[in-house]
Amino acid sequence: MSRSSRLILSLIYWAFVVYVFVPLILMVMMGFKDSKFIGFPIKSWTLDWYLSVFRDAETINAFFYSLAIAFGSTAISLFVGTWIAVLLVGRSFPGRGLIFGLAILPALIPGIISAIAFRIYAQLWGVEPGMGAIIWAHAVHNVPFVMLVVSARLGTLPQSHIDAARDLGADPVVAFFRVTIPYLRPAMIGAGVFCLLISFDDFVRSFFLGGYEPTLPVLIFAKLRSGMSPEINAISSVVLLITAVLGIWAERSMRRLNKGS
Amino acid sequence: MSGTMGTGTGKVAAATVADGGRRSFWGAVTASPAYDTMVDVLIASPRRQFVMLLMLPLVWVLLLHLGPMLQMLYVSVLDAYPATAGREPHLTLDNYGRFFREAIFVMPFMRTLVFSAVLTLVTLVLTYPVAYFLARHVKRDNQLVFLLLLLIPFWVGEIVRTFAIMILLGNNGAINLVLKTLGLIDRPVPFMYTGFSVSVGIIYLTALYMLLPLYSALEKLPASYTEAAADLGAGAWTRFRRVTLPLTLEGITSGCTLVFLISTGVYAVPVLLGGPSSTVFAETIAGFFHAAGDEWPTGAAFACLMFVAALAITAVFNRVMGHLQKWGRK
């Protein structure tokens, strides 16, 4: 490959990096603006907006509400997603393709359509809008993701590991919990953290299934609609920071565990 | 989990001895008679083991993956929902008819499909060189770091990223400030609340779903293929058109499918970044759910229309790409 085309391609890559990062950097910066109005130029700077995030009860409540939903839905998705992966990997039976297709269906349904389908379904079962409804919607949305990640890992588990455990006298249940599950752990941790992030940052499902208590993204949305101030920048920047740290940590630990075994 | 069903004897020893003679958790569990009975019942035969394993996934996917879609389809053919007391709902196709009768709905519908298709194409053209650079020009050890750099912003949810675009494009936004400082404009350019701002927002949201499939397709492509083509005298453009592009069609297909489907269902972006001239169908659908309950059937019908249209388009697209792939292999 010639040197000039390499140069052009690397320029395009870095331009893309800039495109992806600049809006977020500007957003973080705007949180330091000493004025009630969002907009450039920034003439004087302040820490007040960031400090007030940690004093604002509404924001703190929304944060913990979102966090509880994220953990609840992730636990369910991990359990069900792993179960489906164990059923489907290395097994052939009539209807396997159908179950696989249905299992990944939620990942293919556009956001608004899945949100309102859930809204109608919750009504059918008499589930009130609120935490429970959001947890179920997020769990269903994340199951395909867990299933795919865990299946990929499960597909590389050597049958000899299981056979060895069985030869040593472990029954299938013990072999599963002492051999298969530890082998799947990196995939489950990685998938779990991404489920947490997806649920924590989800807007459209939380919006249509939420009751009076807002999740953090719904709260930011409501604040955006009622008028912008750098306070929203500060909240969003804190969300950005948490998300980035968690994501990088998950990526690293997943890769280290993958290498280690 | 195949092979003979050894339930009973040897496992207790194995589980306990494994931890140096100390009674482990599993040792304690497997020693109990209740466990023995349970295992005997659950996995007495491969067949029963399979049935046990099958039940939860089957119930889950039917009840929670398929159920909501079927219920939405059912509600879409009712004349009233939620049902009012003392009156049985009737089946009707009128909700679908409303879409074709009232002209105000067709425009957002068409706009959504055309928008999504165009944006998918733009995203493909934007991210292909990025994926190509990552897969072919970055050293293998560094590829993950370079990729991670792009991944970080995409983990942040749609609201935060949409808000970031508002700050970029607003009348007092960064771009207008730069243009003004350079003396190119006197008054701010109204980027916001147009099709343009919605497009920027949607691409910002979906680019990753294009980038990752492209990257994995390009990464799998051995460098020797293009080297061989070069040895045979093919120029850079010919190598790309005759070797790289045909062999990454699969990645292109899955990236485009994902981005198209996501784009049709984006709600927060058009609400926050769009204006009256860029209303998309997601907003139309949502409108029926903010109002009183009796609009739900129409909203459900419109959601079904949108989903079927989006699926049909991706199906046709996948067929065409499949043929292209076959044709390219000849």
Side-chain angles (χ1 to χ4, degrees), chain A residues 113-156:
Chain A
I113 293 170
S114 113
I116 64 147
F118 270 113
R119 180 76 189 81
I120 294 171
Y121 206 54
Q123 170 91 19
L124 174 72
W125 291 98
V127 177
E128 287 297 312
M131 193 169 176
I134 302 177
I135 287 181
W136 282 104
H138 286 186
V140 170
H141 180 63
N142 284 334
V143 159
F145 182 67
V146 174
M147 184 202 63
L148 290 175
V149 173
V150 171
S151 294
R153 175 82 179 163
L154 191 57
T156 66

mmCIF file of all heavy atoms in Angstrom, chain A residues 113-156:
data_model
loop_
_atom_site.group_PDB
_atom_site.id
_atom_site.type_symbol
_atom_site.label_atom_id
_atom_site.label_comp_id
_atom_site.label_asym_id
_atom_site.label_seq_id
_atom_site.Cartn_x
_atom_site.Cartn_y
_atom_site.Cartn_z
ATOM 1 N N ILE A 113 -40.656 1.055 18.441
ATOM 2 C CA ILE A 113 -41.630 -0.018 18.285
ATOM 3 C C ILE A 113 -41.546 -0.977 19.467
ATOM 4 O O ILE A 113 -42.575 -1.391 20.024
ATOM 5 C CB ILE A 113 -41.411 -0.740 16.940
ATOM 6 C CG1 ILE A 113 -41.742 0.234 15.807
ATOM 7 C CG2 ILE A 113 -42.274 -1.995 16.834
ATOM 8 C CD1 ILE A 113 -41.355 -0.236 14.443
ATOM 9 N N SER A 114 -40.329 -1.294 19.905
ATOM 10 C CA SER A 114 -40.206 -2.192 21.048
ATOM 11 C C SER A 114 -40.756 -1.511 22.304
ATOM 12 O O SER A 114 -41.413 -2.142 23.131
ATOM 13 C CB SER A 114 -38.751 -2.631 21.198
ATOM 14 O OG SER A 114 -38.157 -2.150 22.343
ATOM 15 N N ALA A 115 -40.520 -0.209 22.439
ATOM 16 C CA ALA A 115 -40.999 0.506 23.626
ATOM 17 C C ALA A 115 -42.526 0.473 23.720
ATOM 18 O O ALA A 115 -43.086 0.159 24.763
ATOM 19 C CB ALA A 115 -40.498 1.947 23.619
ATOM 20 N N ILE A 116 -43.204 0.745 22.603
ATOM 21 C CA ILE A 116 -44.663 0.799 22.706
ATOM 22 C C ILE A 116 -45.280 -0.602 22.743
ATOM 23 O O ILE A 116 -46.309 -0.811 23.359
ATOM 24 C CB ILE A 116 -45.317 1.668 21.615
ATOM 25 C CG1 ILE A 116 -45.075 1.077 20.264
ATOM 26 C CG2 ILE A 116 -44.886 3.108 21.683
ATOM 27 C CD1 ILE A 116 -46.234 1.340 19.367
ATOM 28 N N ALA A 117 -44.583 -1.584 22.108
ATOM 29 C CA ALA A 117 -45.071 -2.959 22.228
ATOM 30 C C ALA A 117 -45.054 -3.368 23.703
ATOM 31 O O ALA A 117 -45.992 -4.008 24.192
ATOM 32 C CB ALA A 117 -44.206 -3.905 21.398
ATOM 33 N N PHE A 118 -44.000 -2.976 24.407
ATOM 34 C CA PHE A 118 -43.926 -3.277 25.831
ATOM 35 C C PHE A 118 -44.968 -2.512 26.637
ATOM 36 O O PHE A 118 -45.526 -3.023 27.601
ATOM 37 C CB PHE A 118 -42.539 -2.976 26.382
ATOM 38 C CG PHE A 118 -41.636 -4.157 26.299
ATOM 39 C CD1 PHE A 118 -40.552 -4.160 25.460
ATOM 40 C CD2 PHE A 118 -41.907 -5.287 27.043
ATOM 41 C CE1 PHE A 118 -39.742 -5.262 25.363
ATOM 42 C CE2 PHE A 118 -41.099 -6.402 26.957
ATOM 43 C CZ PHE A 118 -40.014 -6.385 26.119
ATOM 44 N N ARG A 119 -45.213 -1.283 26.231
ATOM 45 C CA ARG A 119 -46.216 -0.473 26.927
ATOM 46 C C ARG A 119 -47.588 -1.162 26.859
ATOM 47 O O ARG A 119 -48.297 -1.267 27.852
ATOM 48 C CB ARG A 119 -46.267 0.919 26.282
ATOM 49 C CG ARG A 119 -47.254 1.872 26.903
ATOM 50 C CD ARG A 119 -46.717 2.397 28.225
ATOM 51 N NE ARG A 119 -47.736 3.151 28.953
ATOM 52 C CZ ARG A 119 -48.682 2.569 29.696
ATOM 53 N NH1 ARG A 119 -48.742 1.253 29.786
ATOM 54 N NH2 ARG A 119 -49.558 3.292 30.352
ATOM 55 N N ILE A 120 -47.919 -1.645 25.650
ATOM 56 C CA ILE A 120 -49.199 -2.329 25.464
ATOM 57 C C ILE A 120 -49.220 -3.643 26.235
ATOM 58 O O ILE A 120 -50.206 -3.988 26.883
ATOM 59 C CB ILE A 120 -49.443 -2.594 23.955
ATOM 60 C CG1 ILE A 120 -49.616 -1.273 23.203
ATOM 61 C CG2 ILE A 120 -50.656 -3.480 23.749
ATOM 62 C CD1 ILE A 120 -49.651 -1.420 21.705
ATOM 63 N N TYR A 121 -48.096 -4.360 26.197
ATOM 64 C CA TYR A 121 -48.019 -5.662 26.854
ATOM 65 C C TYR A 121 -48.133 -5.522 28.368
ATOM 66 O O TYR A 121 -48.774 -6.335 29.029
ATOM 67 C CB TYR A 121 -46.699 -6.336 26.479
ATOM 68 C CG TYR A 121 -46.744 -7.844 26.559
ATOM 69 C CD1 TYR A 121 -47.713 -8.565 25.874
ATOM 70 C CD2 TYR A 121 -45.800 -8.549 27.295
ATOM 71 C CE1 TYR A 121 -47.745 -9.945 25.928
ATOM 72 C CE2 TYR A 121 -45.827 -9.941 27.354
ATOM 73 C CZ TYR A 121 -46.801 -10.628 26.669
ATOM 74 O OH TYR A 121 -46.829 -12.002 26.725
ATOM 75 N N ALA A 122 -47.505 -4.477 28.915
ATOM 76 C CA ALA A 122 -47.581 -4.247 30.363
ATOM 77 C C ALA A 122 -49.032 -4.019 30.763
ATOM 78 O O ALA A 122 -49.505 -4.528 31.780
ATOM 79 C CB ALA A 122 -46.713 -3.058 30.754
ATOM 80 N N GLN A 123 -49.737 -3.282 29.919
ATOM 81 C CA GLN A 123 -51.154 -3.015 30.166
ATOM 82 C C GLN A 123 -51.959 -4.318 30.195
ATOM 83 O O GLN A 123 -52.797 -4.529 31.059
ATOM 84 C CB GLN A 123 -51.671 -2.086 29.063
ATOM 85 C CG GLN A 123 -53.166 -1.901 29.027
ATOM 86 C CD GLN A 123 -53.589 -0.722 29.867
ATOM 87 O OE1 GLN A 123 -52.776 0.144 30.179
ATOM 88 N NE2 GLN A 123 -54.849 -0.690 30.252
ATOM 89 N N LEU A 124 -51.644 -5.219 29.247
ATOM 90 C CA LEU A 124 -52.345 -6.499 29.161
ATOM 91 C C LEU A 124 -52.221 -7.291 30.459
ATOM 92 O O LEU A 124 -53.175 -7.889 30.939
ATOM 93 C CB LEU A 124 -51.774 -7.318 28.001
ATOM 94 C CG LEU A 124 -52.296 -8.760 27.856
ATOM 95 C CD1 LEU A 124 -53.715 -8.757 27.352
ATOM 96 C CD2 LEU A 124 -51.414 -9.569 26.916
ATOM 97 N N TRP A 125 -51.038 -7.289 31.057
ATOM 98 C CA TRP A 125 -50.799 -8.055 32.274
ATOM 99 C C TRP A 125 -51.086 -7.250 33.533
ATOM 100 O O TRP A 125 -50.829 -7.712 34.633
ATOM 101 C CB TRP A 125 -49.348 -8.551 32.306
ATOM 102 C CG TRP A 125 -49.096 -9.599 31.276
ATOM 103 C CD1 TRP A 125 -48.528 -9.418 30.052
ATOM 104 C CD2 TRP A 125 -49.418 -10.992 31.347
ATOM 105 N NE1 TRP A 125 -48.473 -10.592 29.360
ATOM 106 C CE2 TRP A 125 -49.008 -11.585 30.141
ATOM 107 C CE3 TRP A 125 -50.011 -11.796 32.326
ATOM 108 C CZ2 TRP A 125 -49.185 -12.948 29.870
ATOM 109 C CZ3 TRP A 125 -50.181 -13.149 32.067
ATOM 110 C CH2 TRP A 125 -49.765 -13.717 30.842
ATOM 111 N N GLY A 126 -51.547 -6.035 33.350
ATOM 112 C CA GLY A 126 -51.858 -5.208 34.509
ATOM 113 C C GLY A 126 -50.631 -4.722 35.254
ATOM 114 O O GLY A 126 -50.709 -4.420 36.445
ATOM 115 N N VAL A 127 -49.474 -4.664 34.549
ATOM 116 C CA VAL A 127 -48.256 -4.153 35.184
ATOM 117 C C VAL A 127 -48.271 -2.630 35.085
ATOM 118 O O VAL A 127 -48.381 -2.075 33.992
ATOM 119 C CB VAL A 127 -46.997 -4.704 34.488
ATOM 120 C CG1 VAL A 127 -45.738 -4.106 35.107
ATOM 121 C CG2 VAL A 127 -46.964 -6.220 34.587
ATOM 122 N N GLU A 128 -48.227 -1.969 36.242
ATOM 123 C CA GLU A 128 -48.227 -0.504 36.242
ATOM 124 C C GLU A 128 -46.908 0.011 35.680
ATOM 125 O O GLU A 128 -45.860 -0.602 35.906
ATOM 126 C CB GLU A 128 -48.407 0.012 37.671
ATOM 127 C CG GLU A 128 -49.793 -0.163 38.224
ATOM 128 C CD GLU A 128 -50.831 0.624 37.426
ATOM 129 O OE1 GLU A 128 -50.583 1.820 37.151
ATOM 130 O OE2 GLU A 128 -51.876 0.043 37.080
ATOM 131 N N PRO A 129 -46.935 1.149 34.955
ATOM 132 C CA PRO A 129 -45.675 1.751 34.525
ATOM 133 C C PRO A 129 -44.812 2.035 35.750
ATOM 134 O O PRO A 129 -45.328 2.443 36.787
ATOM 135 C CB PRO A 129 -46.112 3.049 33.856
ATOM 136 C CG PRO A 129 -47.526 2.840 33.477
ATOM 137 C CD PRO A 129 -48.090 1.900 34.502
ATOM 138 N N GLY A 130 -43.528 1.823 35.637
ATOM 139 C CA GLY A 130 -42.633 2.051 36.765
ATOM 140 C C GLY A 130 -41.466 1.093 36.731
ATOM 141 O O GLY A 130 -41.160 0.496 35.690
ATOM 142 N N MET A 131 -40.844 0.923 37.871
ATOM 143 C CA MET A 131 -39.592 0.185 37.954
ATOM 144 C C MET A 131 -39.703 -1.241 37.399
ATOM 145 O O MET A 131 -38.887 -1.652 36.580
ATOM 146 C CB MET A 131 -39.151 0.141 39.406
ATOM 147 C CG MET A 131 -37.733 -0.326 39.579
ATOM 148 S SD MET A 131 -37.248 -0.027 41.272
ATOM 149 C CE MET A 131 -35.635 -0.734 41.269
ATOM 150 N N GLY A 132 -40.733 -1.971 37.833
ATOM 151 C CA GLY A 132 -40.849 -3.355 37.391
ATOM 152 C C GLY A 132 -40.955 -3.453 35.876
ATOM 153 O O GLY A 132 -40.270 -4.263 35.246
ATOM 154 N N ALA A 133 -41.802 -2.628 35.303
ATOM 155 C CA ALA A 133 -42.006 -2.658 33.856
ATOM 156 C C ALA A 133 -40.701 -2.333 33.124
ATOM 157 O O ALA A 133 -40.348 -2.986 32.134
ATOM 158 C CB ALA A 133 -43.099 -1.664 33.465
ATOM 159 N N ILE A 134 -39.973 -1.321 33.618
ATOM 160 C CA ILE A 134 -38.717 -0.939 32.958
ATOM 161 C C ILE A 134 -37.705 -2.080 33.058
ATOM 162 O O ILE A 134 -37.027 -2.409 32.085
ATOM 163 C CB ILE A 134 -38.125 0.343 33.576
ATOM 164 C CG1 ILE A 134 -39.118 1.496 33.475
ATOM 165 C CG2 ILE A 134 -36.837 0.727 32.864
ATOM 166 C CD1 ILE A 134 -38.639 2.777 34.133
ATOM 167 N N ILE A 135 -37.614 -2.700 34.244
ATOM 168 C CA ILE A 135 -36.648 -3.790 34.417
ATOM 169 C C ILE A 135 -36.924 -4.909 33.415
ATOM 170 O O ILE A 135 -36.006 -5.404 32.747
ATOM 171 C CB ILE A 135 -36.693 -4.334 35.869
ATOM 172 C CG1 ILE A 135 -36.038 -3.320 36.812
ATOM 173 C CG2 ILE A 135 -35.989 -5.686 35.966
ATOM 174 C CD1 ILE A 135 -35.990 -3.747 38.262
ATOM 175 N N TRP A 136 -38.201 -5.279 33.251
ATOM 176 C CA TRP A 136 -38.507 -6.357 32.302
ATOM 177 C C TRP A 136 -38.164 -5.958 30.881
ATOM 178 O O TRP A 136 -37.600 -6.748 30.130
ATOM 179 C CB TRP A 136 -39.968 -6.775 32.425
ATOM 180 C CG TRP A 136 -40.160 -7.649 33.613
ATOM 181 C CD1 TRP A 136 -40.723 -7.295 34.803
ATOM 182 C CD2 TRP A 136 -39.699 -8.996 33.773
ATOM 183 N NE1 TRP A 136 -40.651 -8.342 35.675
ATOM 184 C CE2 TRP A 136 -40.036 -9.407 35.081
ATOM 185 C CE3 TRP A 136 -39.034 -9.896 32.934
ATOM 186 C CZ2 TRP A 136 -39.731 -10.675 35.577
ATOM 187 C CZ3 TRP A 136 -38.744 -11.159 33.424
ATOM 188 C CH2 TRP A 136 -39.088 -11.543 34.727
ATOM 189 N N ALA A 137 -38.505 -4.737 30.512
ATOM 190 C CA ALA A 137 -38.226 -4.300 29.140
ATOM 191 C C ALA A 137 -36.716 -4.295 28.873
ATOM 192 O O ALA A 137 -36.258 -4.774 27.835
ATOM 193 C CB ALA A 137 -38.804 -2.911 28.905
ATOM 194 N N HIS A 138 -35.944 -3.781 29.825
ATOM 195 C CA HIS A 138 -34.489 -3.759 29.643
ATOM 196 C C HIS A 138 -33.931 -5.177 29.601
ATOM 197 O O HIS A 138 -33.038 -5.480 28.797
ATOM 198 C CB HIS A 138 -33.827 -2.981 30.783
ATOM 199 C CG HIS A 138 -34.013 -1.508 30.677
ATOM 200 N ND1 HIS A 138 -33.397 -0.613 31.524
ATOM 201 C CD2 HIS A 138 -34.744 -0.754 29.823
ATOM 202 C CE1 HIS A 138 -33.750 0.610 31.205
ATOM 203 N NE2 HIS A 138 -34.570 0.546 30.168
ATOM 204 N N ALA A 139 -34.457 -6.049 30.468
ATOM 205 C CA ALA A 139 -33.960 -7.429 30.507
ATOM 206 C C ALA A 139 -34.181 -8.107 29.158
ATOM 207 O O ALA A 139 -33.272 -8.709 28.597
ATOM 208 C CB ALA A 139 -34.645 -8.208 31.622
ATOM 209 N N VAL A 140 -35.394 -7.973 28.625
ATOM 210 C CA VAL A 140 -35.697 -8.603 27.335
ATOM 211 C C VAL A 140 -34.796 -8.032 26.242
ATOM 212 O O VAL A 140 -34.244 -8.762 25.424
ATOM 213 C CB VAL A 140 -37.183 -8.393 26.966
ATOM 214 C CG1 VAL A 140 -37.447 -8.818 25.533
ATOM 215 C CG2 VAL A 140 -38.069 -9.162 27.925
ATOM 216 N N HIS A 141 -34.610 -6.720 26.266
ATOM 217 C CA HIS A 141 -33.780 -6.083 25.248
ATOM 218 C C HIS A 141 -32.342 -6.606 25.285
ATOM 219 O O HIS A 141 -31.684 -6.709 24.248
ATOM 220 C CB HIS A 141 -33.801 -4.564 25.469
ATOM 221 C CG HIS A 141 -32.990 -3.804 24.480
ATOM 222 N ND1 HIS A 141 -33.281 -3.807 23.133
ATOM 223 C CD2 HIS A 141 -31.894 -3.021 24.623
ATOM 224 C CE1 HIS A 141 -32.400 -3.050 22.508
ATOM 225 N NE2 HIS A 141 -31.542 -2.572 23.378
ATOM 226 N N ASN A 142 -31.834 -6.949 26.480
ATOM 227 C CA ASN A 142 -30.439 -7.346 26.615
ATOM 228 C C ASN A 142 -30.182 -8.841 26.474
ATOM 229 O O ASN A 142 -29.030 -9.247 26.294
ATOM 230 C CB ASN A 142 -29.885 -6.871 27.961
ATOM 231 C CG ASN A 142 -29.603 -5.386 27.953
ATOM 232 O OD1 ASN A 142 -29.351 -4.808 26.902
ATOM 233 N ND2 ASN A 142 -29.649 -4.764 29.109
ATOM 234 N N VAL A 143 -31.234 -9.655 26.554
ATOM 235 C CA VAL A 143 -31.042 -11.105 26.455
ATOM 236 C C VAL A 143 -30.305 -11.527 25.167
ATOM 237 O O VAL A 143 -29.370 -12.323 25.235
ATOM 238 C CB VAL A 143 -32.384 -11.861 26.613
ATOM 239 C CG1 VAL A 143 -32.312 -13.258 26.036
ATOM 240 C CG2 VAL A 143 -32.766 -11.927 28.082
ATOM 241 N N PRO A 144 -30.693 -11.015 23.988
ATOM 242 C CA PRO A 144 -29.991 -11.448 22.770
ATOM 243 C C PRO A 144 -28.491 -11.180 22.849
ATOM 244 O O PRO A 144 -27.681 -11.999 22.412
ATOM 245 C CB PRO A 144 -30.610 -10.581 21.664
ATOM 246 C CG PRO A 144 -31.840 -10.023 22.212
ATOM 247 C CD PRO A 144 -31.756 -10.048 23.690
ATOM 248 N N PHE A 145 -28.155 -10.057 23.431
ATOM 249 C CA PHE A 145 -26.766 -9.652 23.534
ATOM 250 C C PHE A 145 -25.969 -10.630 24.414
ATOM 251 O O PHE A 145 -24.908 -11.116 24.026
ATOM 252 C CB PHE A 145 -26.739 -8.237 24.107
ATOM 253 C CG PHE A 145 -25.387 -7.661 24.221
ATOM 254 C CD1 PHE A 145 -24.664 -7.374 23.088
ATOM 255 C CD2 PHE A 145 -24.840 -7.428 25.468
ATOM 256 C CE1 PHE A 145 -23.399 -6.855 23.199
ATOM 257 C CE2 PHE A 145 -23.577 -6.909 25.585
ATOM 258 C CZ PHE A 145 -22.850 -6.624 24.448
ATOM 259 N N VAL A 146 -26.518 -10.945 25.591
ATOM 260 C CA VAL A 146 -25.860 -11.906 26.490
ATOM 261 C C VAL A 146 -25.739 -13.253 25.793
ATOM 262 O O VAL A 146 -24.681 -13.893 25.811
ATOM 263 C CB VAL A 146 -26.656 -12.069 27.799
ATOM 264 C CG1 VAL A 146 -26.058 -13.172 28.664
ATOM 265 C CG2 VAL A 146 -26.700 -10.771 28.568
ATOM 266 N N MET A 147 -26.832 -13.671 25.127
ATOM 267 C CA MET A 147 -26.824 -14.975 24.491
ATOM 268 C C MET A 147 -25.707 -15.074 23.446
ATOM 269 O O MET A 147 -24.977 -16.060 23.404
ATOM 270 C CB MET A 147 -28.172 -15.234 23.821
ATOM 271 C CG MET A 147 -28.253 -16.613 23.228
ATOM 272 S SD MET A 147 -29.475 -16.769 21.944
ATOM 273 C CE MET A 147 -28.910 -15.682 20.679
ATOM 274 N N LEU A 148 -25.554 -14.022 22.628
ATOM 275 C CA LEU A 148 -24.541 -14.074 21.573
ATOM 276 C C LEU A 148 -23.138 -14.113 22.159
ATOM 277 O O LEU A 148 -22.288 -14.902 21.731
ATOM 278 C CB LEU A 148 -24.698 -12.869 20.631
ATOM 279 C CG LEU A 148 -25.946 -12.907 19.756
ATOM 280 C CD1 LEU A 148 -26.085 -11.625 18.961
ATOM 281 C CD2 LEU A 148 -25.912 -14.103 18.816
ATOM 282 N N VAL A 149 -22.862 -13.257 23.165
ATOM 283 C CA VAL A 149 -21.516 -13.200 23.750
ATOM 284 C C VAL A 149 -21.185 -14.524 24.448
ATOM 285 O O VAL A 149 -20.105 -15.093 24.269
ATOM 286 C CB VAL A 149 -21.404 -12.020 24.735
ATOM 287 C CG1 VAL A 149 -20.076 -12.060 25.472
ATOM 288 C CG2 VAL A 149 -21.554 -10.697 23.996
ATOM 289 N N VAL A 150 -22.131 -15.029 25.250
ATOM 290 C CA VAL A 150 -21.882 -16.277 25.986
ATOM 291 C C VAL A 150 -21.773 -17.461 25.024
ATOM 292 O O VAL A 150 -20.926 -18.335 25.209
ATOM 293 C CB VAL A 150 -22.985 -16.503 27.042
ATOM 294 C CG1 VAL A 150 -22.863 -17.885 27.666
ATOM 295 C CG2 VAL A 150 -22.895 -15.447 28.130
ATOM 296 N N SER A 151 -22.606 -17.486 23.964
ATOM 297 C CA SER A 151 -22.526 -18.570 22.981
ATOM 298 C C SER A 151 -21.151 -18.634 22.344
ATOM 299 O O SER A 151 -20.597 -19.715 22.160
ATOM 300 C CB SER A 151 -23.565 -18.380 21.871
ATOM 301 O OG SER A 151 -24.852 -18.514 22.378
ATOM 302 N N ALA A 152 -20.600 -17.453 22.006
ATOM 303 C CA ALA A 152 -19.297 -17.411 21.359
ATOM 304 C C ALA A 152 -18.245 -18.045 22.268
ATOM 305 O O ALA A 152 -17.392 -18.819 21.819
ATOM 306 C CB ALA A 152 -18.918 -15.969 21.024
ATOM 307 N N ARG A 153 -18.317 -17.747 23.549
ATOM 308 C CA ARG A 153 -17.360 -18.301 24.503
ATOM 309 C C ARG A 153 -17.617 -19.799 24.714
ATOM 310 O O ARG A 153 -16.688 -20.598 24.728
ATOM 311 C CB ARG A 153 -17.493 -17.534 25.831
ATOM 312 C CG ARG A 153 -16.651 -18.046 26.966
ATOM 313 C CD ARG A 153 -15.240 -17.537 26.908
ATOM 314 N NE ARG A 153 -14.456 -18.037 28.037
ATOM 315 C CZ ARG A 153 -13.132 -18.035 28.074
ATOM 316 N NH1 ARG A 153 -12.453 -17.551 27.051
ATOM 317 N NH2 ARG A 153 -12.495 -18.499 29.112
ATOM 318 N N LEU A 154 -18.878 -20.157 24.834
ATOM 319 C CA LEU A 154 -19.235 -21.554 25.099
ATOM 320 C C LEU A 154 -18.798 -22.448 23.943
ATOM 321 O O LEU A 154 -18.387 -23.598 24.157
ATOM 322 C CB LEU A 154 -20.749 -21.666 25.308
ATOM 323 C CG LEU A 154 -21.297 -22.981 25.843
ATOM 324 C CD1 LEU A 154 -20.654 -23.334 27.167
ATOM 325 C CD2 LEU A 154 -22.807 -22.905 25.996
ATOM 326 N N GLY A 155 -18.841 -21.895 22.732
ATOM 327 C CA GLY A 155 -18.443 -22.665 21.563
ATOM 328 C C GLY A 155 -16.976 -23.072 21.579
ATOM 329 O O GLY A 155 -16.569 -23.999 20.881
ATOM 330 N N THR A 156 -16.161 -22.375 22.392
ATOM 331 C CA THR A 156 -14.729 -22.685 22.439
ATOM 332 C C THR A 156 -14.378 -23.570 23.631
ATOM 333 O O THR A 156 -13.219 -23.896 23.826
ATOM 334 C CB THR A 156 -13.889 -21.395 22.530
ATOM 335 O OG1 THR A 156 -14.172 -20.768 23.788
ATOM 336 C CG2 THR A 156 -14.207 -20.435 21.409
#
